[in-house]
């Protein structure tokens, strides 16, 4: 993606003292490089990022989404995670430079050896049902993610926490089995749900959190309804009275909803339709340029002849990334053979351009592997934007002798297949987790997980370097070398073929202000308001 606000990667020492808003000194651990969260086409803050003198209270915000809420995936990050931060808080929230800031944890002291962290928790916080938030809720949240029955990408990091010492209701010491350099990724990812009703939550019967809005209705296939939490711990927030999520799967209907003002916000507009909305004087388009997502081609390495990396490399040379970026995604993003956004310390231009479009080379590689023609299935999500990406891949691969049969699949089923390693020979979806600490991608994201990934790719060498990168302090020559080894493995083995790095593209009414996403694309509406 285009980096409108490039930054120089910086790092904090394991213990760095910062002053937080609201007073007090915070001891932070493990800094990361970052950049601005969202930028518009005119290099101005995203709609909603600018402050207004007197935010107007009241009103209902309607958010157009293209897929329904899936309760069973409540603890996994996916395209259906947008509502998480409305109902639930997290322990911290990253700022635009990926520096952790207080949320339910107000301060923290990370031990020098990386084997423990002491959290001071916010007092006076209650769940929607009136129950007080305490350290027991944090303990439950960690253990909940450790539960193998939960679909949750950061389970390995949660599992590294092996000890809990309560010091009253609002101070907690977490002990780690070994150092990890992505603990704050976990704290930003992990929603603090109600331990007394978690089974009701994953069944879709009740979502009880500490967040700014209460879930009041869920109409499967239609949408979600939320009302303001009048006892929210942040004073005078939220400004909005209510929020509605409206499921609009068809592209034409989605565009009409935004242009007529029936919806004021969406992240689901297909890329080829963005130019139409950009011309609307009442709408603004912006991109979250820290690379919160990426389109990719996945390869099941247990399906012949895809078990031959030469064949996989041929596919990597055979896809025209620049054409997908320009024609399918509306120019929003960055064509790349690696998963890393420019804001990541793992990014390199050499990695990004390792595979360029070269159908001649792709055909030569296939021939060297003994193939001139292949027939393969390609699963994709049956939404307009995802279908367009799949059709572009289908066209490109046909030029190198690979006939692809499209298998459209609903979003929830596709996500479940991803988690259960039940994909056909090829699939195309989007992944996240490259926008935070680089080690998180290879220990957490389903397509890349060294221990159990969707491609069913296993390698002792890959596991070794990933584990070492995860437990090594994130700065210095050794950290850089390990990140490079991971990148080199991904490029050489080509079990995941990255195509375009693309953060969330936000379409919003110009009268909407104060909207942000966290680094896992949870919608934050604490400060959102409708002007005029």
């Amino acid at each position: 993606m285009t980096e409108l606000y490039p930054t120089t990667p910086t790092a904090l020492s394991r213990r760095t003292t910062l002053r937080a808003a609201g007073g007090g000194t915070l001891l932070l651990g493990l800094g990361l490089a970052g950049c601005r969260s969202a930028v518009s086409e005119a290099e101005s803050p995203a709609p909603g990022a600018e402050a207004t003198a007197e935010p107007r209270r009241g009103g209902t915000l309607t958010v157009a989404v293209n897929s329904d809420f899936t309760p069973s995936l409540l603890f996994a990050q996916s395209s259906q995670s947008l509502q998480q931060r409305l109902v639930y808080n997290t322990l911290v929230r990253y700022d635009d430079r990926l520096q952790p800031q207080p949320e339910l944890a107000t301060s923290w002291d990370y031990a020098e050896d990386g084997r423990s962290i002491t959290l001071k928790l916010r007092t006076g916080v209650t769940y929607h049902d009136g129950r007080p938030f305490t350290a027991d809720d944090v303990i439950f949240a960690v253990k909940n993610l450790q539960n193998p029955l939960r679909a949750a990408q950061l389970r390995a990091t949660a599992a590294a926490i092996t000890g809990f010492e309560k010091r009253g209701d609002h101070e907690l010491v977490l002990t780690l089995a070994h150092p990890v350099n992505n603990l704050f990724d976990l704290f930003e990812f992990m929603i603090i749900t109600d331990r007394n009703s978690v089974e009701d939550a994953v069944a879709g019967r009740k979502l009880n959190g500490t967040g700014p809005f209460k879930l009041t209705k869920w109409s499967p296939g239609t949408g979600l309804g939320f009302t303001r939490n009048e006892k929210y711990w942040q004073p005078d927030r939220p400004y909005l009275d209510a929020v509605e999520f409206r499921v609009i799967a068809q592209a034409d209907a989605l565009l009409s909803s935004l242009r007529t003002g029936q919806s004021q916000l969406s992240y689901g507009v297909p890329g080829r339709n963005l130019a139409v909305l950009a011309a609307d004087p009442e709408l603004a388009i912006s991109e979250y340029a820290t690379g919160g997502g990426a389109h990719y081609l996945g390869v099941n390495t247990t399906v012949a002849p895809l078990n031959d990396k030469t064949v996989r490399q041929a596919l990597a040379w055979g896809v025209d990334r620049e054409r997908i970026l320009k024609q399918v995604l509306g120019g929003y993003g960055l064509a790349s053979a690696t998963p890393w956004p420019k804001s990541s310390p793992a990014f390199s231009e050499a990695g990004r351009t390792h595979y360029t479009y070269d159908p001649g080379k792709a055909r030569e590689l296939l021939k060297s592997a003994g193939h001139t023609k292949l027939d393969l299935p390609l699963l994709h999500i049956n939404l307009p934007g995802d279908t367009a990406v799949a059709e572009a891949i289908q066209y490109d691969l046909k030029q190198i002798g690979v006939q692809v049969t499209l298998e459209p699949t609903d979003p929830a089923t596709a996500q479940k297949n991803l988690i259960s390693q039940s994909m056909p020979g090829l699939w195309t979806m989007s992944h996240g987790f490259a926008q935070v600490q680089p080690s998180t991608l290879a220990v957490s994201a389903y397509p890349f997980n060294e221990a159990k990934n969707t491609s069913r790719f296993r390698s002792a060498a890959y596991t070794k370097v990933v584990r070492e990168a995860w437990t090594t302090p994130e700065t210095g020559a050794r950290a850089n070398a390990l990140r490079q080894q991971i990148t080199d493995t991904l490029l050489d083995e080509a079990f995941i073929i990255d195509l375009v790095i693309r953060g969330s593209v936000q379409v919003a009414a110009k009268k909407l202000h104060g909207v942000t996403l966290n680094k896992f694309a949870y919608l934050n509406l604490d400060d959102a308001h409708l002007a005029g």
Side-chain angles (χ1 to χ4, degrees), residues 158-235:
I161 299 172
T162 54
F164 306 89
E165 178 191 345
K166 289 194 300 179
R167 297 176 179 174
D169 282 342
H170 295 94
E171 186 170 343
L172 178 65
V173 181
L174 303 177
T175 303
L176 284 77
H178 53 78
V180 298
N181 56 28
N182 67 338
L183 192 60
F184 285 99
D185 292 1
L186 174 68
F187 292 167
E188 163 111 347
F189 169 87
M190 182 175 67
I191 57 174
I192 308 299
T193 189
D194 172 33
R195 64 185 188 272
N196 296 326
S197 60
V198 66
E199 297 306 326
D200 286 332
V202 295
R205 292 188 292 268
K206 177 182 180 182
L207 303 184
N208 183 31
T210 62
F213 294 92
K214 299 179 179 181
L215 179 68
T216 54
K217 66 176 180 179
W218 173 39
S219 301
T222 301
L224 301 163
F226 306 88
T227 57
R228 178 197 291 130
N229 175 12
E230 300 290 352
K231 296 182 179 180
Y232 189 43
W233 54 266
Q234 187 174 350

Side-chain angles (χ1 to χ4, degrees), residues 50-58 236-237 239-240 511-514 527-532:
E50 71 278 10
T52 56
E54 294 182 2
R56 183 174 72 88
R57 300 190 67 84
D236 302 319
R237 299 294 191 278
Y239 295 120
L240 295 168
K511 68 178 181 178
L512 175 62
H513 306 277
D527 298 324
H529 57 281
L530 293 161

Side-chain angles (χ1 to χ4, degrees), residues 139-155:
I139 295 171
F140 173 79
V142 174
K143 291 183 176 180
N144 181 60
L145 291 194
Q146 293 173 345
N147 183 349
L149 296 179
R150 300 286 184 236
Q153 287 96 338
L154 276 138
R155 178 173 298 115

Side-chain angles (χ1 to χ4, degrees), residues 149-348:
L149 296 179
R150 300 286 184 236
Q153 287 96 338
L154 276 138
R155 178 173 298 115
T157 304
I161 299 172
T162 54
F164 306 89
E165 178 191 345
K166 289 194 300 179
R167 297 176 179 174
D169 282 342
H170 295 94
E171 186 170 343
L172 178 65
V173 181
L174 303 177
T175 303
L176 284 77
H178 53 78
V180 298
N181 56 28
N182 67 338
L183 192 60
F184 285 99
D185 292 1
L186 174 68
F187 292 167
E188 163 111 347
F189 169 87
M190 182 175 67
I191 57 174
I192 308 299
T193 189
D194 172 33
R195 64 185 188 272
N196 296 326
S197 60
V198 66
E199 297 306 326
D200 286 332
V202 295
R205 292 188 292 268
K206 177 182 180 182
L207 303 184
N208 183 31
T210 62
F213 294 92
K214 299 179 179 181
L215 179 68
T216 54
K217 66 176 180 179
W218 173 39
S219 301
T222 301
L224 301 163
F226 306 88
T227 57
R228 178 197 291 130
N229 175 12
E230 300 290 352
K231 296 182 179 180
Y232 189 43
W233 54 266
Q234 187 174 350
D236 302 319
R237 299 294 191 278
Y239 295 120
L240 295 168
D241 286 334
V243 180
E244 293 184 358
F245 278 25
R246 184 178 300 170
V247 178
I248 308 176
Q250 298 303 314
D252 289 346
L254 177 58
L255 266 62
S256 176
S257 179
L258 289 163
R259 298 183 74 179
T260 60
Q262 296 177 62
S263 302
Q264 298 84 41
L265 179 66
S266 183
Y267 300 93
V269 177
R272 59 179 53 169
N273 298 119
L274 289 170
V276 175
L277 298 182
D280 192 312
E282 300 301 320
L283 297 173
I285 299 174
S286 57
E287 179 186 5
Y288 282 77
T290 50
H295 289 277
Y296 72 93
L297 174 63
V299 185
N300 186 333
T301 63
T302 65
V303 175
L306 299 173
N307 56 336
D308 182 347
K309 76 175 181 181
T310 301
V311 174
R312 304 196 296 267
Q313 290 172 354
L315 301 180
W317 287 106
V319 180
D320 189 344
R321 293 167 176 79
E322 292 290 348
R323 184 175 69 87
I324 291 175
L325 171 62
K326 293 173 183 176
Q327 296 183 9
V328 180
L329 300 179
Y332 290 88
L334 179 71
S336 179
T338 63
W340 317 114
K342 285 189 175 181
S343 58
S344 172
F347 174 84
S348 73

Side-chain angles (χ1 to χ4, degrees), residues 33 43 79-80 84 94 106 118 136 154 159 177 208 254 291 316 321 365 379 383 412 417 431 443 475-476 499:
E43 298 194 16
S79 61
Q80 296 139 56
Q84 303 289 63
Y94 280 132
T106 58
T118 302
D136 286 323
L154 276 138
N208 183 31
L254 177 58
R321 293 167 176 79
L365 286 172
L379 180 146
L383 294 172
N417 288 351
H431 71 74
V443 296
T475 59
L499 304 175

Side-chain angles (χ1 to χ4, degrees), residues 41 127 141 208 413 449 531:
E41 294 171 306
Y127 281 86
N208 183 31
T413 300
N449 191 311

